[in-house]
Coordinates of all heavy atoms in Angstrom, one line a residue:
M30 N 36.1 23.7 0.0 CA 36.5 25.1 0.2 C 35.6 26.0 -0.7 O 35.5 27.2 -0.4 CB 38.0 25.3 -0.3 CG 38.9 24.6 0.6 SD 38.9 25.3 2.2 CE 39.9 24.1 3.1
K31 N 35.0 25.5 -1.7 CA 34.1 26.3 -2.5 C 32.9 26.8 -1.7 O 32.4 27.9 -2.0 CB 33.7 25.6 -3.8 CG 33.1 26.4 -4.8 CD 33.0 25.6 -6.1 CE 32.5 26.5 -7.2 NZ 32.4 25.9 -8.5
K32 N 32.4 25.9 -0.9 CA 31.2 26.3 -0.1 C 31.5 27.4 0.9 O 30.6 28.1 1.3 CB 30.7 25.0 0.7 CG 30.3 23.9 -0.2 CD 28.9 24.1 -0.7 CE 28.5 22.9 -1.4 NZ 27.2 23.0 -2.1
S33 N 32.7 27.5 1.4 CA 33.0 28.5 2.4 C 32.9 30.0 1.9 O 32.5 30.9 2.6 CB 34.4 28.3 3.0 OG 35.4 28.4 2.0
G34 N 33.1 30.1 0.6 CA 32.9 31.4 0.0 C 31.4 31.8 0.0 O 31.0 32.9 0.2
L35 N 30.5 30.8 -0.3 CA 29.1 31.0 -0.3 C 28.6 31.3 1.1 O 27.7 32.1 1.3 CB 28.4 29.8 -0.9 CG 26.9 29.9 -1.0 CD1 26.5 31.0 -2.0 CD2 26.3 28.5 -1.5
I36 N 29.2 30.6 2.1 CA 28.8 30.8 3.5 C 29.2 32.2 3.9 O 28.4 32.9 4.6 CB 29.5 29.7 4.4 CG1 28.9 28.4 4.2 CG2 29.4 30.1 5.9 CD1 29.7 27.2 4.8
S37 N 30.3 32.7 3.5 CA 30.7 34.0 3.8 C 29.8 35.1 3.2 O 29.4 36.0 3.9 CB 32.1 34.3 3.2 OG 32.6 35.6 3.5
V38 N 29.4 34.9 2.0 CA 28.4 35.8 1.4 C 27.1 35.8 2.1 O 26.4 36.8 2.3 CB 28.3 35.6 -0.1 CG1 27.2 36.4 -0.8 CG2 29.6 35.9 -0.8
V39 N 26.6 34.6 2.4 CA 25.3 34.5 3.1 C 25.4 35.2 4.5 O 24.4 35.9 4.9 CB 24.9 33.0 3.2 CG1 23.7 32.8 4.1 CG2 24.5 32.4 1.8
A40 N 26.5 35.0 5.2 CA 26.6 35.7 6.5 C 26.6 37.2 6.3 O 26.0 37.9 7.1 CB 27.9 35.2 7.1
F41 N 27.2 37.7 5.2 CA 27.2 39.1 4.9 C 25.8 39.6 4.6 O 25.4 40.6 5.2 CB 28.2 39.4 3.8 CG 28.0 40.7 3.2 CD1 28.2 41.9 3.9 CD2 27.6 40.9 1.8 CE1 28.0 43.1 3.3 CE2 27.5 42.1 1.3 CZ 27.7 43.2 2.0
I42 N 25.1 38.9 3.8 CA 23.8 39.3 3.4 C 22.8 39.4 4.7 O 22.1 40.3 4.9 CB 23.2 38.5 2.3 CG1 24.0 38.7 1.0 CG2 21.7 38.7 2.1 CD1 23.7 37.8 -0.1
V43 N 22.9 38.3 5.5 CA 22.0 38.3 6.7 C 22.4 39.4 7.6 O 21.5 40.1 8.2 CB 22.2 36.9 7.4 CG1 21.5 36.9 8.8 CG2 21.6 35.8 6.5
S44 N 23.7 39.7 7.8 CA 24.1 40.7 8.7 C 23.7 42.1 8.2 O 23.3 43.0 8.9 CB 25.7 40.7 8.8 OG 26.1 39.5 9.4
V45 N 23.8 42.3 6.9 CA 23.4 43.6 6.3 C 21.9 43.8 6.5 O 21.4 44.9 6.9 CB 23.7 43.6 4.8 CG1 22.9 44.7 4.1 CG2 25.2 43.8 4.6
I46 N 21.1 42.8 6.3 CA 19.6 42.9 6.4 C 19.3 43.3 7.9 O 18.5 44.2 8.1 CB 18.9 41.7 5.9 CG1 19.0 41.5 4.4 CG2 17.4 41.7 6.3 CD1 18.6 40.2 3.9
V47 N 19.8 42.5 8.8 CA 19.5 42.8 10.2 C 20.0 44.1 10.7 O 19.4 44.9 11.4 CB 20.0 41.6 11.1 CG1 19.9 41.9 12.5 CG2 19.3 40.4 10.7
T48 N 21.3 44.5 10.3 CA 21.8 45.8 10.7 C 21.0 46.9 10.1 O 20.8 47.9 10.8 CB 23.3 45.9 10.3 OG1 24.0 44.7 10.8 CG2 23.9 47.1 10.7
A49 N 20.7 46.8 8.8 CA 19.9 47.9 8.2 C 18.5 48.0 8.8 O 18.0 49.1 9.1 CB 19.8 47.6 6.7
S50 N 17.9 46.9 9.2 CA 16.6 47.0 9.8 C 16.7 47.5 11.2 O 15.8 48.2 11.7 CB 15.9 45.6 9.8 OG 16.6 44.7 10.7
S51 N 17.8 47.3 11.9 CA 18.0 47.9 13.2 C 18.3 49.4 13.1 O 17.8 50.1 14.0 CB 19.2 47.2 13.8 OG 19.6 47.9 15.0
L52 N 19.0 49.8 12.1 CA 19.3 51.2 12.0 C 18.1 52.1 11.5 O 18.0 53.2 11.8 CB 20.4 51.4 11.0 CG 21.8 51.0 11.5 CD1 22.8 51.1 10.4 CD2 22.2 51.7 12.7
F53 N 17.2 51.5 10.7 CA 16.2 52.3 10.0 C 14.8 52.0 10.6 O 13.8 52.5 10.0 CB 16.2 52.0 8.5 CG 17.4 52.5 7.9 CD1 18.3 51.6 7.2 CD2 17.8 53.8 7.9 CE1 19.4 52.0 6.6 CE2 19.0 54.3 7.3 CZ 19.8 53.4 6.7
T54 N 14.7 51.3 11.7 CA 13.3 51.1 12.3 C 13.2 52.1 13.5 O 14.2 52.4 14.2 CB 13.1 49.7 12.8 OG1 14.2 49.4 13.7 CG2 13.0 48.7 11.7
A55 N 12.0 52.7 13.6 CA 11.8 53.7 14.7 C 11.6 53.0 16.1 O 11.8 53.6 17.1 CB 10.6 54.5 14.3
S56 N 11.2 51.7 16.1 CA 10.9 51.1 17.3 C 12.1 50.5 18.0 O 12.0 49.9 19.1 CB 9.9 50.0 17.1 OG 10.4 49.0 16.2
G57 N 13.3 50.6 17.4 CA 14.5 50.0 18.0 C 14.9 48.7 17.4 O 14.7 48.5 16.2
D58 N 15.6 47.9 18.1 CA 16.1 46.6 17.6 C 15.0 45.6 17.3 O 14.1 45.4 18.1 CB 17.1 46.0 18.5 CG 18.4 46.9 18.7 OD1 18.6 47.7 17.8 OD2 19.1 46.8 19.7
P59 N 15.1 45.0 16.2 CA 14.0 44.0 15.8 C 14.2 42.7 16.6 O 13.2 41.9 16.7 CB 14.2 43.7 14.4 CG 15.6 44.1 14.1 CD 16.0 45.2 15.0
F60 N 15.4 42.4 17.2 CA 15.6 41.2 18.0 C 16.1 41.6 19.4 O 16.6 42.7 19.6 CB 16.7 40.4 17.3 CG 16.3 39.9 15.9 CD1 16.9 40.4 14.8 CD2 15.3 38.9 15.8 CE1 16.5 40.0 13.6 CE2 14.9 38.5 14.5 CZ 15.5 39.0 13.4
P61 N 16.0 40.7 20.4 CA 16.6 41.0 21.7 C 18.1 41.2 21.6 O 18.8 40.8 20.7 CB 16.3 39.8 22.5 CG 15.2 39.1 21.8 CD 15.3 39.5 20.3
G62 N 18.7 41.8 22.7 CA 20.2 42.1 22.7 C 21.1 41.0 22.3 O 22.0 41.2 21.5
P63 N 21.1 39.9 23.0 CA 22.0 38.8 22.7 C 21.9 38.3 21.2 O 22.9 38.0 20.6 CB 21.7 37.7 23.7 CG 21.0 38.4 24.8 CD 20.3 39.5 24.2
V64 N 20.7 38.3 20.7 CA 20.5 37.8 19.3 C 21.1 38.9 18.4 O 21.8 38.5 17.4 CB 19.0 37.6 19.0 CG1 18.8 37.2 17.6 CG2 18.5 36.5 19.9
M65 N 21.0 40.2 18.7 CA 21.6 41.2 17.8 C 23.1 41.2 17.9 O 23.7 41.4 16.9 CB 21.1 42.6 18.3 CG 19.7 42.9 17.9 SD 19.4 43.0 16.1 CE 20.4 44.4 15.7
I66 N 23.6 40.9 19.0 CA 25.1 40.7 19.2 C 25.6 39.6 18.3 O 26.6 39.7 17.6 CB 25.5 40.6 20.6 CG1 25.3 41.9 21.4 CG2 26.9 40.1 20.7 CD1 25.5 41.8 22.9
A67 N 24.8 38.5 18.4 CA 25.2 37.3 17.6 C 25.2 37.6 16.1 O 26.1 37.2 15.4 CB 24.4 36.1 18.0
I68 N 24.1 38.3 15.7 CA 24.0 38.5 14.3 C 24.9 39.6 13.7 O 25.5 39.5 12.7 CB 22.5 38.8 13.9 CG1 21.6 37.6 14.2 CG2 22.3 39.3 12.5 CD1 20.1 37.9 14.0
C69 N 25.1 40.6 14.5 CA 25.9 41.8 14.0 C 27.3 41.7 14.3 O 28.1 42.5 13.7 CB 25.3 43.1 14.6 SG 23.7 43.5 14.1
I70 N 27.8 40.8 15.2 CA 29.2 40.7 15.5 C 29.7 39.3 15.2 O 30.7 39.2 14.5 CB 29.5 41.1 17.0 CG1 29.1 42.6 17.2 CG2 30.9 40.9 17.3 CD1 29.2 43.1 18.6
I71 N 29.1 38.3 15.7 CA 29.6 36.9 15.6 C 29.5 36.4 14.2 O 30.4 35.8 13.7 CB 29.0 36.0 16.7 CG1 29.4 36.5 18.1 CG2 29.4 34.6 16.5 CD1 28.6 35.8 19.2
L72 N 28.3 36.7 13.6 CA 28.1 36.2 12.2 C 29.1 36.8 11.2 O 29.6 36.0 10.4 CB 26.7 36.5 11.8 CG 26.2 35.7 10.6 CD1 26.3 34.2 10.8 CD2 24.7 36.1 10.2
P73 N 29.4 38.1 11.2 CA 30.5 38.6 10.3 C 31.9 38.0 10.6 O 32.7 37.9 9.7 CB 30.5 40.1 10.5 CG 29.1 40.4 11.0 CD 28.7 39.2 11.8
I74 N 32.2 37.7 11.9 CA 33.4 37.1 12.2 C 33.5 35.7 11.6 O 34.5 35.3 11.0 CB 33.7 37.1 13.7 CG1 33.9 38.5 14.3 CG2 34.9 36.2 14.1 CD1 34.0 38.6 15.8
I75 N 32.4 35.0 11.7 CA 32.4 33.6 11.0 C 32.5 33.8 9.5 O 33.2 33.0 8.8 CB 31.1 32.9 11.4 CG1 31.1 32.6 12.9 CG2 30.9 31.7 10.5 CD1 29.8 32.0 13.4
G76 N 31.9 34.8 8.9 CA 32.0 35.1 7.5 C 33.4 35.5 7.1 O 33.8 35.1 6.0
L77 N 34.1 36.2 7.9 CA 35.5 36.6 7.6 C 36.3 35.4 7.6 O 37.2 35.2 6.7 CB 36.0 37.6 8.6 CG 35.7 39.1 8.4 CD1 36.2 39.9 9.5 CD2 36.4 39.5 7.1
L78 N 36.2 34.5 8.6 CA 37.0 33.3 8.7 C 36.7 32.4 7.5 O 37.6 31.8 6.9 CB 36.7 32.5 10.0 CG 37.2 33.3 11.2 CD1 36.8 32.5 12.5 CD2 38.7 33.5 11.2
A79 N 35.4 32.3 7.1 CA 35.0 31.5 5.9 C 35.6 32.1 4.7 O 36.0 31.3 3.8 CB 33.5 31.4 5.8
A80 N 35.7 33.4 4.6 CA 36.3 34.0 3.4 C 37.8 33.8 3.3 O 38.3 33.7 2.2 CB 35.9 35.5 3.3
L81 N 38.4 33.7 4.4 CA 39.8 33.5 4.5 C 40.2 32.1 4.0 O 41.3 32.0 3.4 CB 40.4 33.8 5.9 CG 40.5 35.2 6.3 CD1 40.9 35.3 7.8 CD2 41.4 36.0 5.4
I82 N 39.4 31.1 4.3 CA 39.8 29.8 3.8 C 39.2 29.4 2.5 O 39.5 28.3 2.0 CB 39.3 28.7 4.9 CG1 37.8 28.7 5.1 CG2 40.0 29.0 6.2 CD1 37.3 27.6 5.9
S83 N 38.4 30.3 1.9 CA 37.8 30.0 0.6 C 38.8 30.2 -0.6 O 39.8 30.8 -0.4 CB 36.5 30.8 0.4 OG 36.9 32.1 0.1
N84 N 38.4 29.7 -1.7 CA 39.3 29.8 -2.9 C 39.2 31.2 -3.4 O 38.2 32.0 -3.1 CB 38.8 28.9 -4.0 CG 39.0 27.4 -3.6 OD1 39.9 27.1 -2.8 ND2 38.1 26.6 -4.1
K85 N 40.1 31.6 -4.2 CA 40.1 33.0 -4.8 C 38.9 33.1 -5.7 O 38.5 32.2 -6.4 CB 41.4 33.3 -5.6 CG 42.6 33.4 -4.7 CD 43.8 33.8 -5.6 CE 45.0 34.0 -4.7 NZ 46.2 34.4 -5.5
G86 N 38.4 34.3 -5.7 CA 37.3 34.6 -6.6 C 36.4 35.7 -6.1 O 36.7 36.4 -5.1
A87 N 35.3 35.9 -6.8 CA 34.3 36.9 -6.4 C 33.7 36.7 -5.1 O 33.5 37.7 -4.3 CB 33.3 37.1 -7.5
L88 N 33.3 35.5 -4.8 CA 32.7 35.2 -3.5 C 33.6 35.5 -2.3 O 33.2 36.0 -1.3 CB 32.2 33.7 -3.4 CG 31.1 33.3 -4.3 CD1 30.8 31.9 -4.1 CD2 29.8 34.2 -4.0
K89 N 34.9 35.2 -2.5 CA 35.8 35.5 -1.4 C 35.9 37.0 -1.2 O 35.9 37.5 -0.1 CB 37.2 34.9 -1.8 CG 38.3 35.2 -0.7 CD 39.6 34.6 -1.0 CE 40.5 34.8 0.2 NZ 41.6 33.8 0.2
F90 N 36.0 37.8 -2.3 CA 36.2 39.2 -2.2 C 34.9 39.9 -1.6 O 35.0 40.7 -0.7 CB 36.4 39.8 -3.6 CG 36.5 41.3 -3.6 CD1 37.7 41.9 -3.1 CD2 35.5 42.1 -4.1 CE1 37.8 43.3 -3.1 CE2 35.6 43.4 -4.1 CZ 36.7 44.1 -3.6
I91 N 33.7 39.5 -2.1 CA 32.5 40.0 -1.6 C 32.3 39.7 -0.1 O 31.9 40.5 0.7 CB 31.3 39.5 -2.4 CG1 31.4 40.1 -3.8 CG2 30.0 39.9 -1.8 CD1 30.4 39.5 -4.8
G92 N 32.6 38.4 0.2 CA 32.4 38.0 1.6 C 33.4 38.7 2.6 O 33.0 39.1 3.6
F93 N 34.6 38.8 2.2 CA 35.6 39.4 3.0 C 35.4 40.9 3.2 O 35.3 41.4 4.3 CB 37.0 39.1 2.4 CG 38.1 39.6 3.4 CD1 38.5 38.8 4.4 CD2 38.8 40.8 3.2 CE1 39.5 39.2 5.3 CE2 39.8 41.2 4.0 CZ 40.1 40.4 5.1
T94 N 35.2 41.6 2.1 CA 35.0 43.0 2.2 C 33.6 43.4 2.9 O 33.6 44.3 3.7 CB 35.0 43.7 0.8 OG1 35.5 42.8 -0.2 CG2 35.7 44.9 0.8
G95 N 32.6 42.7 2.5 CA 31.3 42.9 3.2 C 31.3 42.7 4.7 O 30.8 43.5 5.4
N96 N 31.8 41.6 5.1 CA 31.8 41.3 6.5 C 32.8 42.2 7.2 O 32.5 42.6 8.4 CB 32.3 39.8 6.7 CG 31.2 38.9 6.4 OD1 30.0 39.0 6.8 ND2 31.5 37.8 5.6
L97 N 33.8 42.6 6.6 CA 34.7 43.6 7.2 C 34.0 44.9 7.4 O 34.1 45.6 8.5 CB 36.0 43.8 6.4 CG 37.2 44.4 7.0 CD1 37.6 43.5 8.2 CD2 38.3 44.5 6.1
L98 N 33.2 45.4 6.4 CA 32.5 46.6 6.6 C 31.4 46.5 7.6 O 31.2 47.5 8.4 CB 31.8 47.0 5.2 CG 32.8 47.5 4.2 CD1 32.1 47.7 2.8 CD2 33.4 48.8 4.6
I99 N 30.7 45.4 7.7 CA 29.7 45.2 8.8 C 30.4 45.3 10.1 O 29.8 45.9 11.1 CB 29.0 43.9 8.6 CG1 28.0 44.0 7.3 CG2 28.1 43.5 9.8 CD1 26.9 45.0 7.5
L100 N 31.5 44.7 10.3 CA 32.2 44.7 11.6 C 32.7 46.1 11.9 O 32.6 46.6 13.0 CB 33.4 43.8 11.6 CG 33.1 42.3 11.9 CD1 34.3 41.5 11.8 CD2 32.5 42.2 13.2
L101 N 33.1 46.9 10.9 CA 33.5 48.3 11.1 C 32.3 49.1 11.5 O 32.4 49.9 12.5 CB 34.0 48.8 9.7 CG 34.5 50.3 9.8 CD1 35.8 50.3 10.5 CD2 34.6 50.8 8.4
L102 N 31.1 48.9 11.0 CA 29.9 49.7 11.3 C 29.3 49.2 12.7 O 28.8 50.1 13.4 CB 28.9 49.6 10.3 CG 29.1 50.4 9.0 CD1 28.0 50.0 8.0 CD2 29.2 51.8 9.3
S103 N 29.4 48.0 13.0 CA 28.8 47.5 14.2 C 29.7 47.4 15.4 O 29.2 47.3 16.5 CB 28.1 46.2 13.9 OG 29.0 45.2 13.6
V104 N 31.0 47.4 15.2 CA 31.9 47.3 16.4 C 32.8 48.5 16.5 O 32.9 49.1 17.6 CB 32.8 46.0 16.2 CG1 33.8 45.9 17.3 CG2 31.9 44.8 16.2
V105 N 33.6 48.8 15.4 CA 34.6 49.8 15.5 C 34.0 51.2 15.7 O 34.5 52.0 16.6 CB 35.5 49.7 14.3 CG1 36.6 50.9 14.3 CG2 36.2 48.4 14.2
V106 N 33.0 51.6 14.9 CA 32.5 52.9 15.0 C 31.8 53.2 16.4 O 32.1 54.2 17.0 CB 31.5 53.2 13.9 CG1 30.7 54.5 14.1 CG2 32.2 53.2 12.5
P107 N 31.0 52.3 16.9 CA 30.5 52.5 18.3 C 31.5 52.5 19.4 O 31.5 53.3 20.3 CB 29.5 51.3 18.5 CG 29.1 50.9 17.1 CD 30.3 51.1 16.3
A108 N 32.6 51.7 19.2 CA 33.6 51.6 20.2 C 34.4 53.0 20.2 O 34.7 53.5 21.3 CB 34.6 50.5 20.0
V109 N 34.7 53.5 19.1 CA 35.5 54.7 19.0 C 34.6 55.9 19.4 O 35.1 56.8 20.1 CB 36.0 54.9 17.5 CG1 36.6 56.3 17.3 CG2 37.1 53.9 17.2
S110 N 33.3 55.9 19.1 CA 32.4 57.0 19.5 C 32.3 57.0 21.0 O 32.1 58.1 21.5 CB 31.1 56.9 18.8 OG 30.4 55.7 19.3
T111 N 32.3 55.9 21.7 CA 32.2 56.0 23.1 C 33.5 56.6 23.8 O 33.4 57.1 24.9 CB 32.0 54.5 23.7 OG1 33.0 53.7 23.4 CG2 30.6 54.0 23.3
L112 N 34.6 56.5 23.1 CA 35.8 57.1 23.6 C 35.7 58.6 23.6 O 36.2 59.3 24.4 CB 37.0 56.7 22.8 CG 37.4 55.2 22.9 CD1 38.5 54.9 22.0 CD2 37.7 54.9 24.4
F113 N 35.0 59.2 22.6 CA 34.9 60.6 22.4 C 33.7 61.2 22.9 O 33.6 62.4 23.1 CB 35.1 61.0 20.9 CG 36.4 60.6 20.4 CD1 36.6 59.6 19.5 CD2 37.6 61.3 20.8 CE1 37.8 59.3 19.0 CE2 38.8 61.0 20.3 CZ 38.9 60.0 19.4
W114 N 32.6 60.5 23.1 CA 31.4 61.0 23.6 C 31.4 60.9 25.2 O 31.2 59.9 25.7 CB 30.2 60.1 23.1 CG 28.9 60.7 23.3 CD1 28.3 61.1 24.5 CD2 27.9 61.0 22.3 NE1 27.1 61.6 24.2 CE2 26.8 61.5 22.9 CE3 27.9 60.8 20.9 CZ2 25.7 61.9 22.2 CZ3 26.8 61.2 20.2 CH2 25.7 61.7 20.9
N115 N 31.5 62.1 25.8 CA 31.6 62.0 27.3 C 30.4 62.7 27.9 O 30.4 62.7 29.2 CB 32.9 62.7 27.7 CG 33.0 64.1 27.2 OD1 32.1 64.7 26.6 ND2 34.1 64.8 27.5
Q116 N 29.5 63.2 27.2 CA 28.3 63.8 27.8 C 27.1 63.4 27.0 O 27.1 63.2 25.8 CB 28.4 65.3 27.8 CG 29.4 65.8 28.8 CD 29.5 67.3 28.8 OE1 28.6 68.0 28.3 NE2 30.5 67.9 29.4
P117 N 25.9 63.3 27.7 CA 24.7 62.8 26.9 C 24.2 63.9 26.0 O 24.4 65.0 26.0 CB 23.7 62.6 28.0 CG 24.2 63.1 29.3 CD 25.7 63.3 29.1

């Protein structure tokens, strides 16, 4: 169970790096669409699940909160913005 906290933090760090590079590059996404979906959505979900089964401690807290924030930025905010954005 101790390794799952580390897996959660690694998933968070990889997701942050890819999401930040996607947001701050002028040329668009650094990876093709399905790979970006896997990194920005599926990897934080795996990190959240790994944080849930890990032991209490700093790795659990960092992994859970970080992956939750990445999911908020990459899933919830775009989904809500499409509800309110009705014109180009």
